[in-house]
Amino acid sequence: MSRERLQRRKGGTRATTAQPSRKGRRSSRAAGPSPFWGPRTYPWPDRAGKFGRFGGRFVPETLMFALEELEAHYAKVRDEPTFRAELNQLLHNYAGRPTPLYLAERVSEDVGLRVYLKREDLAHTGAHKINNTLGQVLLARGMGKRRIIAETGAGQHGVATATACARFGLPCTIYMGSEDIRRQALNVFRMKLLGAEVVEVAQGSRTLKDATNEAIRDWVTNVETTHYIIGSVVGPHPYPMIVRDFQSIIGYEARAQFAEKEEEGPGALLACVGGGSNAMGLFFPFLGDPGVEMIGVEAAGEGLGGRHAASLVAGEVGVLHGSLSYLLQTPDGQVEVAHSISAGLDYPGVGPEHSHWKDTGRVRYTSVSDADALAAFHTCSRLEGILPALETAHAVVEAMRIAAKMHKDDVVVICFSGRGDKDCFEVARLEGEEI
Ligand SMILES: Cc1ncc(COP(=O)(O)O)c(C=O)c1O
């Protein structure tokens, strides 16, 4: 937030919710989903699939053809009116977009800032993941791939994939670590109800990294018939770009909705970062606005000196799951076991475009501990009547922190990436309650 803007606000020129100029503006809810995939002036990824020095394609030879096929198919359909119309129709009528941009008044009062929540928790299946899975299922169908596989951590991407597959009648296999199966039992049950096969992965840390390894193994074996729906902005090119494009609807909607509610701002955007797809979705359409600060929040777990999942804040550059990015690794280059209270942030890597933004300084990355996230889970539930996913709760904590440096009339937008129902059993267990 610039000093000038702060001064203006203190002088009382801040827009209120009763500005007459807003009358007659079109409601974005009535307008249906806003356009995704904005102007083509943004240079990344380059032709080699890189974001600066990050990204690329570090995969076995057998997967090269499938990645090239996916890249070519996406390039062909991304601007086709029929493809866009079908996806827009699904996002609107099936997934419930646009999701509201909601001024959380009691949280705002508590935090000391005006806090808007971009309500991805209200999208069908309860998180942002559905934006990507609907898009990728259409791509799979277009390429004639009749079988779908995916990895999942928190289970939200697994549920969103199983949902899209049920909608299109495609068989679907979801890989999930045993530890995540334990803490996200509700989502496992949901996936099975939706007709998916859930394959338990008992190797390694038994979390998202290991589930991803198994999904890649399956893909290498069945690549001719199978499309792998990666759940975040990670993996080899073109996945980080495709997932970013499908998720950027979050930011395009938020931008339009924000302009209807406020005269200027937002001062900052906040989002949790696991692989980085909800943050990417919110941030991407605001990249060209130098006045908008962007903050990605990783999981500090038990603290950065102990077990955590803060790849950008505390990692080193290396290769994981097909691309070059920051990741947690030992001094001799082995991937380290990540830890977070939230299964969706419990991943030792991060999307390559985030690594690029870290290096350029466009986005600031920080981290929040398990204990603070758990406290924010309760605060947000009690004050606003909205249970955040434990992943989302990390971003809420950062809003509380930056408030100290901002004016109470400053405005921030949090990507409210998902609902907390899935986490109730785990929170109860951690707090010694039986349900
Ligand atoms: C609700 C929710 N938020 C955030 C995440 C983290 O993923 P990403 O960083 O790709 O948005 C997950 C992952 O499962 C999730 O379920």
Side-chain angles (χ1 to χ4, degrees):
M1 173 69 48
S2 72
R3 186 180 291 267
E4 227 178 276
R5 255 183 74 202
L6 272 178
Q7 273 318 112
R8 274 205 307 280
R9 293 232 163 142
K10 285 174 185 165
T13 55
R14 184 180 64 74
T16 68
T17 42
Q19 287 286 311
S21 59
R22 244 178 268 118
K23 282 197 182 144
R25 285 186 192 169
R26 229 159 33 110
S27 147
S28 62
R29 186 159 263 283
S34 15
F36 41 94
W37 313 323
R40 292 282 187 271
T41 47
Y42 183 69
W44 309 112
D46 63 16
R47 294 177 72 141
K50 293 205 157 177
F51 304 87
R53 62 182 169 133
F54 300 103
R57 232 175 226 169
F58 297 84
V59 293
E61 201 55 37
T62 31
L63 291 184
M64 282 308 271
F65 175 75
L67 291 169
E68 280 162 8
E69 182 188 26
L70 177 61
E71 185 182 8
H73 182 69
Y74 180 63
K76 181 169 137 272
V77 300
R78 66 196 253 169
D79 293 321
E80 265 177 14
T82 47
F83 179 78
R84 283 183 165 232
E86 186 172 15
L87 181 53
N88 263 338
Q89 186 276 120
L90 281 167
L91 289 169
H92 186 50
N93 295 316
Y94 187 69
R97 303 206 71 86
T99 58
L101 183 69
Y102 165 73
L103 177 62
E105 289 186 23
R106 285 185 16 100
V107 164
S108 298
E109 213 172 283
D110 187 66
V111 168
L113 271 181
R114 287 159 60 74
V115 178
Y116 280 92
L117 309 178
K118 179 59 176 157
R119 297 287 310 274
E120 293 305 295
D121 59 313
L122 293 180
H124 181 41
T125 68
H128 63 296
K129 299 287 182 184
I130 191 83
N131 305 327
N132 170 45
T133 58
L134 287 173
Q136 285 208 46
V137 156
L138 292 187
L139 295 180
R141 195 191 59 182
M143 291 185 295
K145 304 270 164 122
R146 300 296 305 163
R147 175 176 176 260
I148 300 292
I149 58 169
E151 84 296 335
T152 196
Q156 286 301 139
H157 175 57
V159 167
T161 304
T163 298
C165 288
R167 168 66 184 72
F168 285 91
L170 297 172
C172 154
T173 300
I174 309 289
Y175 289 90
M176 191 167 188
S178 337
E179 169 62 8
D180 292 337
I181 285 182
R182 180 194 64 72
R183 53 184 168 172
Q184 300 294 339
L186 179 61
N187 275 344
V188 175
F189 189 60
R190 289 170 80 196
M191 285 181 254
K192 288 180 180 165
L193 288 176
L194 291 159
E197 178 198 11
V198 180
V199 177
E200 178 168 352
V201 179
Q203 284 94 354
S205 56
R206 297 169 291 128
T207 56
L208 184 55
K209 167 179 71 70
D210 314 283
T212 308
N213 290 343
E214 284 310 306
I216 292 174
R217 249 175 233 135
D218 179 322
W219 200 34
V220 170
T221 316
N222 301 297
V223 65
E224 277 175 21
T225 56
T226 299
H227 176 63
Y228 177 17
I229 299 190
I230 293 186
S232 193
V233 285
V234 298
H237 179 65
Y239 279 105
M241 169 183 73
I242 290 176
V243 180
R244 173 195 74 197
D245 289 353
F246 287 145
Q247 289 295 0
S248 66
I249 192 163
I250 300 172
Y252 285 114
E253 282 179 10
R255 235 186 119 92
Q257 292 166 325
F258 193 87
E260 286 181 1
K261 294 171 193 289
E262 299 281 340
E263 290 286 298
E264 56 179 296
L269 306 175
L270 299 125
C272 66
V273 176
S277 68
N278 83 94
M280 186 65 64
L282 178 65
F283 295 171
F284 187 67
F286 290 89
L287 274 182
D289 297 346
V292 181
E293 196 190 351
M294 300 182 187
I295 307 168
V297 188
E298 296 192 304
E302 298 164 353
L304 294 183
R307 298 186 311 150
H308 62 84
S311 338
L312 288 159
V313 170
E316 300 289 336
V317 175
V319 172
L320 177 65
H321 297 145
S323 72
L324 185 85
S325 197
Y326 281 96
L327 62 105
L328 301 180
Q329 51 190 320
T330 59
D332 56 346
Q334 296 301 316
V335 178
E336 238 172 332
V337 173
H339 162 80
S340 169
I341 189 174
S342 57
L345 303 187
D346 199 343
Y347 182 65
V350 70
E353 197 165 0
H354 282 289
S355 292
H356 176 60
W357 289 349
K358 172 190 154 102
D359 276 14
T360 61
R362 181 61 188 95
V363 181
R364 181 164 70 81
Y365 295 93
T366 182
S367 61
V368 159
S369 70
D370 288 351
D372 287 349
L374 189 56
F377 174 88
H378 286 294
T379 307
C380 187
S381 304
R382 293 225 177 108
L383 285 180
E384 213 55 58
I386 305 173
L387 267 65
L390 281 173
E391 292 80 9
T392 316
H394 287 70
V396 176
V397 174
E398 186 58 21
M400 295 168 179
R401 282 187 193 158
I402 61 169
K405 290 177 255 153
M406 294 175 92
H407 187 265
K408 72 176 175 42
D409 289 336
D410 286 338
V411 190
V412 300
V413 176
I414 298 177
C415 188
F416 208 83
S417 58
R419 56 193 296 163
D421 305 41
K422 70 179 175 58
D423 294 312
C424 288
F425 287 99
E426 182 63 359
V427 169
R429 187 189 70 83
L430 288 166
E431 295 177 347
E433 274 201 37
E434 253 185 59
I435 7 179

